Amino acid sequence: MQHPHPHPPPRPVPHRKRRRGAVLAAAAAVTALVAAGLTTLSTDIAEAATARQVEALDRGVVSVHTDSGNLVSWRWLGTDPDDISFNVYRAGTKVNSTPITGSTNYFHSGAPAQADYTVRAIVGGVEQSDSVHAVQLRSGYTDVPITAPTGGTTPDGVAYTYEANDASVADLDGDGALDFVLKWQPTNAKDNSQSGYTGSTVIDGIKLDGTRLWRIDLGRNIRSGAHYTQFQAYDYDGDGRAEVAMKTADGTVDGTGAVIGSSSVDYRNSSGYVLSGPEYLTMFDGETGKALGTVDYVPARGTVSSWGDSYGNRVDRFLAGTAYLDGVRPSLIMARGYYTRTVIAAWDWRNGAFTRRWTFDTNSSTNTGKGYDGQGSHSLSVGDVDSDGKDEIVYGAMAVDDNGNGLWTTKTGHGDAQHLGDLDPSTSGLEYFKVSESTSQPAELYIDPATGAIRWQLSACCDNGRGVAGDIYAGNDGAEVWSASDTYIRDEAGATKGREPSSVNFLSWWDGDTVRELLDGTNIDKYGTSSDTRLLTGSGVHSNNSTKATPSLSGDILGDWREEVVWPTTNNTALRIYSTPIETSTKITTLLHDTMYRTGLAWQNTAYNQPPHPSFFLGDGMATAPRPAVYTP
């Protein structure tokens, strides 16, 4: 697809919370080097440039119908000029009276559900060509057709079918529109602690119109469950099309029908676990599903009992993410273990090949990971915690620096939920909130992620399985935090600020203000001091992952900066996308071009799903949102 709006060259943009000392020439030099295929940047260039590689997206126009008309919204791209404005057209006729400057949405009163909209940007006083046509949400949602894999029967005679599970988004074919990567999970999927055979895990690449680009079957030698398959969809090589990475094994069938390794071997034991045989990491082509490159998975399982038990639970606890470790281009993060030994491997995908950037191993006597054992959580977070322009991996009660060395550990052990973001706008940089599973560790911790210093903590009490951080209440400055074991929301100092909300799960920017809403199960609620108000009830859909009750995906995937939510329909024949019908007067660059948020969207599917957070404070009383310094391949 052609992009009619010319992108200006990347430029350094000051951020009140980050050191942005780069100059335009450095960012332009990086762009030129990448375009020329040079994969190793000089130290001077890499350190000077702040522009990061992002997707070349279209306008993402969406029209949400209500009884009163249609809310049309679209993306303000990171590569757009600051002073851009817009006109909205219905079937070629402009519907706004004056150019839209203060937002990226327009309510067209009285219009029918089937109205066809485009948006034209105005740059330097010159109106540009039409955008893509709006995705129409005629009933407040749109359905993306999906087709379940054929079920089967396990060796012990148990029949299973398939349910749509976690999803991600990326531009798989380079047309500027986001596509879905969907994980199908068999109905006999297991937690690692549960014995028994499972069906295989299946991954689909799907366009918004329901066209299936490919299907990957991970095969019998990859067990199914929340902790086994963590997939990442991102443009790692900068060719303008996303790749998809995941752990594979003998018998995995790629999107072209080719088999990785042996198609006949079966490494499952009588309890259904896979505790022998080779393990691989494969990068797949986003457009075709073809296996582009396969290497041994790092780390190998080695001795099963060295990971914490002998029957196969803790050895197969995997996490994954994407991080800008050099500050410019994305790298793949693949990890194993968090209860005892932890190993994190960082990979670059360049010129059709994997290169391992570094390996962090708590068992290594020469690595600064020594002594970091047992500090991982059921998820990870990625962000520039030390303001050096490069990303770190926050991995539970520990963090790993961009160079693969241990940065800090609080030694407070494993937890089920964690949130990294700019939670406190009164202080520079990011903050970090987590909960603890251990009954002997603090129930909640509020941490400085640059140093690991604990700003405050609550006394140990229990297995505190849920925790959330986000600005849900305008009556308090900054974000609020709360957990399953507490009865209050708390501020950045740990002081109580009101009653606990109705859920301790996901978050969503849904209505017209900058305060975030509560997303739980198939509902979105707005927090109130006495009770919560229902804003959305998903119709004919189901949440995922049992009591975790998470959507397939939630994030800014269409329209303006507010967040869509995607649930599978009850019969698993569609992914149902809901987008807000509520007008906003706030103008923010698409969160897809904030790389901390974008990588958060990429790792959302990892293990115990968590919502993404941007690199800046987005909430009540926020400063003007910063423009990102980004470039497109």
Side-chain angles (χ1 to χ4, degrees), residues 191-194 226-228 230 297 307 309 311-319 335-339 341 343 377-378 395 414 607-608:
D191 184 82
N192 298 43
S193 62
Q194 301 169 347
H227 302 291
Y228 293 101
Q230 325 298 349
Y297 191 86
W307 297 92
D309 59 65
Y311 70 96
N313 179 355
R314 296 180 175 186
V315 66
D316 279 351
R317 300 285 181 151
F318 300 100
L319 300 178
R336 182 180 217 141
Y338 36 76
Y339 289 113
R341 182 187 179 194
V343 183
S377 285
H378 280 303
Y395 198 92
H414 172 73
Y608 289 176

Side-chain angles (χ1 to χ4, degrees), residues 102 119 146 479 497 542 631:
V119 171
I146 56 177
K497 291 294 179 177
H542 70 82
Y631 73 92

Side-chain angles (χ1 to χ4, degrees), residues 451-531:
T451 64
I454 299 173
R455 295 186 180 175
W456 59 264
Q457 63 187 38
L458 297 187
S459 299
C461 66
C462 50
D463 176 353
N464 193 14
R466 305 285 180 91
V468 185
D471 185 16
I472 61 166
Y473 175 40
N476 170 59
D477 293 335
E480 294 74 49
V481 301
W482 68 101
S483 75
S485 73
D486 205 356
T487 55
Y488 301 99
I489 55 172
R490 297 178 182 270
D491 66 11
E492 68 280 355
T496 59
K497 291 294 179 177
R499 68 171 191 90
E500 189 176 44
S502 57
S503 63
V504 192
N505 199 352
F506 257 53
L507 298 167
S508 176
W509 279 292
W510 183 258
D511 63 9
D513 61 36
T514 53
V515 172
R516 215 168 185 185
E517 280 68 57
L518 306 163
L519 169 56
D520 182 50
T522 57
N523 303 311
I524 293 178
D525 296 313
K526 191 168 188 68
Y527 177 80
T529 55
S530 58
S531 63

Side-chain angles (χ1 to χ4, degrees), residues 250-271:
D250 280 345
T252 295
V253 180
D254 78 2
T256 70
V259 178
I260 295 173
S262 169
S263 62
S264 60
V265 295
D266 186 345
Y267 291 108
R268 294 173 295 182
N269 65 21
S270 59
S271 296

Side-chain angles (χ1 to χ4, degrees), residues 167 180 544 551-554 557 564-568 575-578:
F180 283 107
N544 291 324
S552 287
L553 186 69
S554 177
I557 62 176
E564 283 67 44
V565 59
V566 182
W567 291 292
L575 291 177
R576 184 159 289 174
I577 307 173
Y578 282 86

